[in-house]
Amino acid sequence: MENIKIEGTDRLPEIDFNFGLGQFSIGGYSFPENVKVFYDPVITQLEDYLSSLEGGEVIFNISFIYFHSSTAQIVYNLFDALDTCAASGNSVTVNWYYETGDEDMQESGEDFGEELVDAQFQLHETYPA
Amino acid sequence: MLIDKITSLRDHLRMDGVSFCFTGFMTEELLSGIAQSLKKKLELEKADVTTSRGVFSIVIEMSQNIIRYSAEHETSASENPAIDLRYGVMAVGQTDGNYFVSCGNLVRKEDAERLSENLSHIQGLDKKALKALYKQTLRDGPPKGSKGAGVGFVEIALRATQGFEFEIQDSDDANVFFALKAII
């Protein structure tokens, strides 16, 4: 599967999906005009990968600064796919990064993290350089 | 007089503490521009992280509501992609040490009651209940007729640390005017 690398902008997230290594990251700002148009192509590939994985290891890093409510649905569905992948015997770790002092992003991480049953979830506080 | 007209508009807005105001056809390009300018203004004012993310988030949710749902729009299906411009008003400012974000647009009469019930319900919920509703809505998937996740107003309520108010008033035979103000 071809790796995906998309540069972030002031409204679209940076995406780095390395299928070979099983390492994925998404972060930055996310308020695309149409979430389906932006996310569907990358999420579909990811879901295909996750659903065919056997005995694999997946690390998913999330470091949003801001995402809008339409993106929240994408994140929810993503967590669902990751947890299903973990339930079928793969090792899945989700890392959620938030900037120090950003309570909303911290709470958001806690809330989404609660949705995971089989995947490992870790919250990480980061400090601006 | 042109000067009188313009200065009275300006003075009126300044008196209300408005730092950004837009009336007209709202587009995603405008939203991007407003978002970037607002980010700079909040940095300048040294607003704390929670406040500035709150204001930023509410501006985006409200703009997208106008872009998606304003009943006052001009459409041309002959273009590719089709052009669909939606009219609304939005203002961001500060009064009494708080930030506010207000917006308004026309809403079809048949949608008014559902909108009003939905907002009244949200207004009566505390943070815990808002979060539960947010999660449940995401779990259930987008409601019928929604062009997003259906949690925009819940998001606004969560970010509006000092609450929000709304009013709906008859406008013409087909539409009502809907106004919403969130305080952060």
Side-chain angles (χ1 to χ4, degrees):
Chain A
M1 204 174 273
E2 192 128 341
N3 293 335
I4 300 172
K5 208 169 165 80
I6 300 173
E7 292 281 326
T9 70
D10 48 25
R11 67 180 307 193
L12 299 174
E14 53 178 73
I15 292 178
D16 190 350
F17 285 2
N18 191 317
F19 296 99
L21 294 174
Q23 289 183 5
F24 305 88
S25 65
I26 183 164
Y29 287 87
S30 176
F31 52 109
E33 173 172 4
N34 187 325
V35 280
K36 280 195 171 305
V37 171
F38 179 78
Y39 278 106
D40 273 4
V42 283
I43 296 292
T44 306
Q45 283 190 64
L46 179 70
E47 284 177 347
D48 286 348
Y49 168 87
L50 292 175
S51 60
S52 62
L53 200 63
E54 282 175 31
E57 193 179 337
V58 172
I59 295 178
F60 207 105
N61 301 314
I62 299 173
S63 53
F64 280 120
I65 297 169
Y66 167 77
F67 59 87
H68 71 345
S69 68
S70 305
T71 301
Q73 185 75 59
I74 305 289
V75 177
Y76 182 86
N77 296 348
L78 172 68
F79 271 55
D80 201 28
L82 287 165
D83 208 39
T84 307
C85 178
S88 51
N90 298 289
S91 156
V92 179
T93 306
V94 180
N95 295 305
W96 184 284
Y97 297 87
Y98 66 92
E99 212 173 274
T100 183
D102 189 353
E103 286 168 23
D104 287 317
M105 201 47 80
Q106 181 183 357
E107 283 180 20
S108 193
E110 287 164 359
D111 290 342
F112 278 111
E114 281 173 11
E115 296 293 306
L116 298 172
V117 179
D118 295 293
Q120 296 295 314
F121 182 76
Q122 283 170 4
L123 270 175
H124 306 268
E125 187 175 1
T126 63
Y127 301 88
Chain B
M1 291 285 284
L2 176 64
I3 284 287
D4 292 341
K5 251 190 183 165
I6 300 291
T7 51
S8 90
L9 178 63
R10 179 190 187 279
D11 292 347
H12 183 76
L13 291 169
R14 293 291 284 193
M15 220 159 61
D16 282 349
V18 171
S19 47
F20 289 95
C21 181
F22 176 78
T23 306
F25 292 99
M26 180 65 85
T27 64
E28 292 289 338
E29 291 78 9
L30 267 170
L31 168 55
S32 260
I34 291 170
Q36 298 324 316
S37 316
L38 182 67
K39 216 157 55 181
K40 285 184 191 156
K41 182 78 164 70
L42 290 163
E43 270 172 34
L44 202 70
E45 286 166 355
K46 303 211 181 312
D48 65 76
V49 183
T50 308
T51 306
S52 74
R53 298 270 155 86
V55 173
F56 187 81
S57 168
I58 291 173
V59 165
I60 288 175
E61 297 299 332
M62 285 186 181
S63 311
Q64 288 218 319
N65 275 348
I66 294 170
I67 293 168
R68 288 173 178 162
Y69 306 114
S70 172
E72 191 174 358
H73 60 140
E74 285 179 17
T75 313
S76 159
S78 61
E79 315 291 329
N80 190 22
I83 297 174
D84 185 12
L85 293 176
R86 308 218 174 206
Y87 199 92
V89 49
M90 203 174 74
V92 187
Q94 263 180 305
T95 44
D96 308 324
N98 288 316
Y99 282 89
F100 66 84
V101 189
S102 308
C103 69
N105 58 267
L106 291 183
V107 171
R108 284 183 308 167
K109 252 187 186 143
E110 60 264 39
D111 297 327
E113 199 179 316
R114 193 165 42 93
L115 177 68
S116 172
E117 276 174 10
N118 189 14
L119 282 168
S120 297
H121 174 64
I122 289 172
Q123 224 167 14
L125 301 177
D126 61 11
K127 190 175 175 185
K128 201 175 156 212
L130 284 169
K131 284 192 161 199
L133 175 60
Y134 192 99
K135 267 193 173 181
Q136 191 55 49
T137 311
L138 292 183
R139 219 171 273 145
D140 295 342
K144 199 170 159 273
S146 170
K147 294 175 188 169
V151 291
F153 287 132
V154 184
E155 178 84 46
I156 290 171
L158 278 166
R159 302 276 191 167
T161 47
Q162 309 296 314
F164 71 87
E165 54 179 297
F166 72 96
E167 280 175 28
I168 291 173
Q169 196 177 67
D170 279 340
S171 171
D172 54 52
D173 287 345
N175 301 300
V176 296
F177 195 86
F178 164 63
L180 175 65
K181 182 180 187 179
I183 317 276
I184 308 108

